[in-house]
């Protein structure tokens, strides 16, 4: 019989990786609480139209990456390729705009894009997504970046670059379009087929092309950043000032346009050289027109998403080290009688505790402890019982300590020695 396997680009997440996912989620939630963000869970499947209207019908995501199908009721539905569209729909559908002057929300979950899988790029991946509705104040733009850097600091991720740009407002883009089109018209011979179409429909998208010839053409092109209207320029300068207040080092990248159409003014990506080709592990920006375009009141908004798989790749397992973990290795029936009282003592102290169930040899229990990456093994056999002690072995340096065999007080005694 043919073995059943996951679909291409879909993965089982387990072991060390899921531990890192949980850590990323927990640290993120801690900071979202501190900064006043509330959680929303939104559906994984929505009407296709939601994504086409918000992300833009000339983007790669909508043109070629969506998992879209007709459901049994005959409706065209799509597995969410990102969360912002659904968050805007929820903001409107649940009437948050009428209840709160500023809504700060987050969601965590799977997204789906039919891309070519490679390291850090999958067809099902996870985002921690954050959105703030109701203010155009660039203070919040800087505050979000500050919050992200605090999360990264707690995860011990130190090597990264914060790239920022402004893609202006509708007015800046409108007046810049002609200048850009006339530049690219002279370089048509060097543009790929996709970019020739982009030139007709949405020339700014050319900056997003991965084709090396197209990248070359954009090297000497005019940049929207240099043609911002006065309002957008002031917004950007104030953003820079606040970034400085928060001590955030940034790199202005005029080429940064992002792969979704809804952005206006601030856009940013956080990249790491350790990730290879898929180097952006956080990305976001302002989208001041989207809520209105989706049928709501005029509402400035800004948000970002952390790519959990990519952040996990650069999060060291050391960041997981909270309290150490313990393993109880026992030899003989009498030693096993100590298991339950010792277990109770460790769990009541909130310590991670493991053991083998069937009485195996000490050697095989030590191997088991190793496979669980236990930090300390507590060893008990007839000799130790006779002496009224239990031996604690530090698995990193193999040092051993003898502790008094007092099951109730054992966890406290161990904690004193090991923390
Ligand atoms: P995005 O740049 O399309 O933005 O995705 C955000 C992050 O999700 C990327 O930087 C990357 O880390 C991760 N990501 C994207 N595609 C994949 C993939 N195929 N495999 C693994 N990771 C991936 C958005 O999605 C916007 N909704 C962000 C946002 C929120 N803007 C405003 N609010």
């Amino acid at each position: 019989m043919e073995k059943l396997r996951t679909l291409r680009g879909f993965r089982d997440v387990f072991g060390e990786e899921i531990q890192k996912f949980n850590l990323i989620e927990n640290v993120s939630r801690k900071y979202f609480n501190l900064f006043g963000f509330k959680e929303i869970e939104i559906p994984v499947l929505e009407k296709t139209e939601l994504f086409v209207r918000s992300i833009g019908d000339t983007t790669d995501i909508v043109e070629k990456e969506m998992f879209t199908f007709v459901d049994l009721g005959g409706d065209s539905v799509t597995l969410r390729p990102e969360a912002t569209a659904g968050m805007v729909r929820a903001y409107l559908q649940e009437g948050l705009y009428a209840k709160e002057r500023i809504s700060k929300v987050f969601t965590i979950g799977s997204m789906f894009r039919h891309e070519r899988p490679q390291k850090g790029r999958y067809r099902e991946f996870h985002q921690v997504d954050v959105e703030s509705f109701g203010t155009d104040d660039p203070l919040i733009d800087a505050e979000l970046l500050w919050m992200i850097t605090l999360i990264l600091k707690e995860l011990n991720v130190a090597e990264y670059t914060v790239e920022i740009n402004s893609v202006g407002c509708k007015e800046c883009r409108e007046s810049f379009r002609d200048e850009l089109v006339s530049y690219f018209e002279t370089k048509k011979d060097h543009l790929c087929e996709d970019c020739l179409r982009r030139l007709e429909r949405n020339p700014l998208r050319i900056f997003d092309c991965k084709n090396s010839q197209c990248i070359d053409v954009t090297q000497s092109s005019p940049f929207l950043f240099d043609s911002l209207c006065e309002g957008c320029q002031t917004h950007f300068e104030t953003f820079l000032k606040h970034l400085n207040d928060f001590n955030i080092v940034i790199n202005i990248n005029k080429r940064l346009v992002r792969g979704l159409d809804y952005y206006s003014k601030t856009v940013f990506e956080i990249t790491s050289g350790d990730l290879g080709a898929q180097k952006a592990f956080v990305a976001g920006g302002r989208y001041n027109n989207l809520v209105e375009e989706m049928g709501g009141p005029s509402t400035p908004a800004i948000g970002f998403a952390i790519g959990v798989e990519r952040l996990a790749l650069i999060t060291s397992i050391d960041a997981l080290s909270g309290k150490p973990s313990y393993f109880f290795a026992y030899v003989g029936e009498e030693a096993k009688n100590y298991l339950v009282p010792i277990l109770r003592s460790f769990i009541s102290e909130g310590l991670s505790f493991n053991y083998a169930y069937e009485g195996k040899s000490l050697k095989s229990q030590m191997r088991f402890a190793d496979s669980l990456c236990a930090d300390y093994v507590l060893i008990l056999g007839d000799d130790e019982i006779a002496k009224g002690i239990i031996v604690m072995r530090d698995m990193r340096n193999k040092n051993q300590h003898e502790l008094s065999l007092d099951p109730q007080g054992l966890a406290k005694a161990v904690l004193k020695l090991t923390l």
Side-chain angles (χ1 to χ4, degrees):
M1 206 192 331
E2 195 194 329
K3 280 200 189 124
L4 288 172
R5 301 185 63 83
T6 51
L7 297 169
R8 188 163 135 81
F10 286 68
R11 300 174 325 123
D12 301 312
V13 181
F14 63 102
E16 209 172 90
E17 190 177 16
I18 199 136
Q19 281 182 282
K20 290 185 189 177
F21 275 33
N22 287 335
L23 181 73
I24 291 167
E25 263 191 39
N26 293 342
V27 173
S28 300
R29 279 179 201 280
K30 172 177 147 186
Y31 283 94
F32 299 160
N33 267 327
L34 289 176
F35 281 79
F37 286 84
K38 297 193 190 108
E39 186 159 9
I40 304 193
E41 203 166 300
I42 55 171
V44 171
L45 195 66
E46 302 251 15
K47 285 187 182 160
T48 302
E49 189 194 345
L50 172 70
F51 303 112
V52 177
R53 272 176 51 191
S54 54
I55 298 169
D57 56 0
T58 55
T59 57
D60 280 357
I61 296 180
V62 169
E63 277 189 339
K64 43 191 176 195
E65 294 170 1
M66 295 207 301
F67 281 89
T68 296
F69 57 95
V70 177
D71 73 4
L72 293 177
D75 293 317
S76 177
V77 293
T78 295
L79 282 171
R80 61 182 182 194
E82 59 107 50
T84 310
M87 294 292 261
V88 170
R89 185 207 37 71
Y91 175 72
L92 294 175
Q93 185 174 336
E94 307 311 329
L96 296 185
Y97 61 92
K99 293 181 195 142
E100 309 171 332
R101 207 177 68 74
I102 292 182
S103 292
K104 289 171 144 188
V105 285
F106 73 94
T107 196
I108 300 180
S110 285
M111 310 293 149
F112 304 85
R113 294 184 195 175
H114 200 283
E115 294 188 86
R116 197 170 47 77
Q118 64 180 87
K119 181 185 163 199
R121 189 165 72 192
Y122 312 103
R123 290 184 174 170
E124 181 185 17
F125 60 96
H126 297 77
Q127 284 187 347
V128 168
D129 181 89
V130 173
E131 313 291 350
S132 156
F133 298 99
T135 176
D136 185 43
D137 190 334
L139 178 57
I140 200 162
D141 305 31
E143 196 183 288
L144 288 184
L145 278 167
W146 182 46
M147 181 170 76
I148 299 167
T149 60
L150 293 175
I151 293 171
L152 295 179
K153 186 158 181 232
E154 188 145 338
L155 292 170
N156 283 332
V157 175
E159 300 296 319
Y160 58 81
T161 310
V162 180
E163 302 197 12
I164 62 167
N165 191 18
S166 173
V167 293
C169 60
K170 271 186 185 162
E171 287 72 40
C172 318
R173 274 202 294 274
E174 199 60 37
S175 52
F176 177 67
R177 196 189 148 101
D178 292 345
E179 191 184 341
L180 198 62
V181 171
S182 21
Y183 171 80
F184 285 125
E185 286 286 349
T186 64
K187 309 278 177 192
K188 262 180 155 172
D189 297 347
H190 305 282
L191 293 177
C192 70
E193 249 172 56
D194 276 349
C195 281
L196 287 174
R197 266 189 305 119
R198 290 173 179 136
L199 183 57
E200 302 272 304
R201 300 176 64 190
N202 192 350
L204 263 182
R205 290 255 67 81
I206 297 176
F207 287 101
D208 208 28
C209 185
K210 308 290 179 294
N211 181 308
S212 59
Q213 258 195 311
C214 300
I215 294 177
D216 282 349
V217 171
T218 60
Q219 294 303 344
S220 43
S221 74
F223 290 107
L224 176 54
F225 183 82
D226 299 317
S227 306
L228 294 179
C229 70
E230 217 181 303
C232 288
Q233 235 174 50
T234 312
H235 192 276
F236 191 75
E237 276 157 20
T238 319
F239 173 42
L240 287 182
K241 178 196 163 298
H242 290 312
L243 286 170
N244 192 44
D245 296 340
F246 288 120
N247 263 335
I248 296 170
V249 181
I250 50 92
N251 184 10
I252 298 177
N253 176 359
K254 298 182 186 179
R255 298 177 50 87
L256 186 65
V257 289
R258 311 274 302 113
L260 308 97
D261 271 353
Y262 47 63
Y263 291 108
S264 54
K265 296 188 183 171
T266 309
V267 289
F268 56 86
E269 285 188 356
I270 304 187
T271 58
S272 161
D274 297 334
L275 281 171
Q278 304 305 318
K279 61 190 171 86
F281 63 96
V282 180
R286 230 171 222 293
Y287 47 97
N288 284 354
N289 307 309
L290 184 60
V291 176
E292 194 173 6
E293 280 164 12
M294 300 302 283
S298 165
T299 310
I302 180 166
F304 68 86
I306 298 174
V308 179
E309 280 77 0
R310 292 188 196 171
L311 179 52
L313 281 170
I314 50 170
T315 298
S316 137
I317 195 75
D318 294 345
L320 289 171
S321 60
K323 287 181 184 165
S325 62
Y326 303 87
F327 187 94
F328 180 52
Y330 57 93
V331 184
E333 270 314 299
E334 203 184 338
K336 191 171 185 180
N337 288 335
Y338 284 88
L339 171 64
V340 173
I342 293 179
L343 171 65
R344 289 166 71 107
S345 152
F346 274 74
I347 296 300
S348 72
E349 289 300 324
L351 298 177
S352 159
F353 192 77
N354 239 305
Y355 49 90
Y357 288 86
E358 280 90 23
K360 296 257 166 56
S361 71
L362 183 59
K363 208 169 151 195
S364 101
Q365 291 186 60
M366 294 308 279
R367 268 205 304 270
F368 184 22
D370 250 345
S371 73
L372 294 170
C373 302
D375 298 300
Y376 297 93
V377 177
L378 295 144
I379 304 166
L380 189 65
D382 292 341
D383 287 353
E384 286 78 17
I385 294 173
K387 286 198 234 164
I389 57 151
I390 184 162
V391 170
M392 184 175 75
R393 182 183 296 178
D394 184 331
M395 295 298 275
R396 283 160 300 193
N397 53 26
K398 308 294 174 211
N399 286 345
Q400 299 204 153
H401 295 272
E402 290 184 359
L403 298 163
S404 149
L405 182 54
D406 158 27
Q408 275 79 36
L410 191 60
K412 279 210 166 73
V414 156
L415 258 177
K416 241 189 186 161
L417 266 176
T418 57
L419 277 187

